[in-house]
Amino acid sequence: MEDVATPEAFARDPVLVQRFYDARRENLKRVEPNAAHAALARLDEAWPGGLLIVTQNVDDLHERAGAKRLLHMHGELNSAWCRACDARMAWSGAMGGDPACPGCGVAGRLRPDIVWFGEMPYEMERIDRALMEADLFVSIGTSGNVCPAAGFVQTARQVGALTLEINLEPSQSSYLFDESRTGRAGELVPAWVEEMLE
Ligand SMILES: [Zn+2]
């Protein structure tokens, strides 16, 4: 696979990188939220206490399912970042072809608002604050070996939160969790949300 997820790749071949993300952005229009997205949105709506859904996904399926208390730590496909004026803006069409920034009018300086390898994930302070206040930390559908997300469970444990992992298979960090449930997220997440809202 060609390298399309680093700042260096974008500097070297912006046309290739924009084509890759334009295709992924276009593909979003053909996928729908699944049962796990729907269950988390239901939890978000019904849970009276604090809650923060932190996703590494760059799609908009959580939003389309209805989630509100949501944070995209690795950016969003449907967002553009103008390197001329530093503004970030909703963007659903193609970014290739050097369109002008609607904010500052400069053409050819928009890049996908995606956190690439070597770049700092978004809103780490807000994530840390949520972890420090957490009574329960749930990791869903992640291998747990991508930093810094892999450290979240350790922070949660340090402040005494209960920790639950829901994953297709046991992960490398399963041993860090109080409980590990393995199976399809589309089945396990709705079941867990039912338990939470009972
Ligand atoms: Zn701009």
Side-chain angles (χ1 to χ4, degrees):
M1 183 179 152
E2 287 159 293
D3 172 20
V4 290
T6 63
E8 293 76 19
F10 188 59
R12 193 165 54 237
D13 194 346
V15 172
L16 172 77
V17 173
Q18 294 286 21
R19 194 184 299 140
F20 174 81
Y21 286 100
D22 281 352
R24 288 188 68 188
R25 196 176 303 110
E26 196 57 33
N27 278 335
L28 275 188
K29 295 167 185 166
R30 291 190 284 276
V31 292
E32 298 294 332
N34 62 31
H37 295 109
L40 288 175
R42 182 167 165 251
L43 180 67
D44 181 17
E45 190 182 2
W47 186 253
L51 176 146
L52 181 62
I53 300 169
V54 175
T55 184
Q56 297 176 290
N57 297 343
V58 296
D59 60 52
D60 62 347
L61 298 177
H62 283 295
E63 287 93 332
R64 278 199 264 152
K68 300 281 191 294
R69 292 181 277 182
L70 173 71
L71 183 162
H72 282 273
M73 65 179 290
H74 288 171
E76 298 172 62
L77 276 172
N78 285 336
S79 177
W81 176 15
C82 177
R83 289 163 304 142
C85 70
D86 204 32
R88 288 176 165 85
M89 63 212 87
W91 198 272
S92 58
M95 223 175 285
D98 295 341
C101 168
C104 69
V106 176
R109 298 295 304 279
L110 297 177
R111 61 161 268 185
D113 191 9
I114 302 282
V115 176
W116 285 326
F117 291 105
E119 297 182 322
M120 184 66 74
Y122 293 152
E123 306 214 58
M124 290 301 292
E125 284 181 19
R126 193 171 151 213
I127 295 170
D128 261 337
R129 275 201 307 276
L131 286 168
M132 300 297 282
E133 293 169 0
D135 300 305
L136 173 64
F137 171 77
V138 186
S139 169
I140 298 170
T142 169
S143 59
N145 52 17
V146 180
C147 281
F152 292 173
V153 62
Q154 285 161 310
T155 303
R157 280 167 62 96
Q158 279 164 15
V159 299
L162 271 175
T163 55
L164 166 65
E165 173 185 60
I166 297 176
N167 205 27
L168 195 55
E169 54 200 24
S171 75
Q172 287 181 9
S173 47
S174 285
Y175 70 96
L176 291 170
F177 289 84
D178 295 309
E179 189 188 352
S180 203
R181 301 183 187 180
T182 53
R184 288 164 36 83
E187 291 161 14
L188 295 184
V189 176
W192 168 69
V193 168
E194 284 299 318
E195 290 169 31
M196 290 293 291
L197 296 178
E198 256 171 17

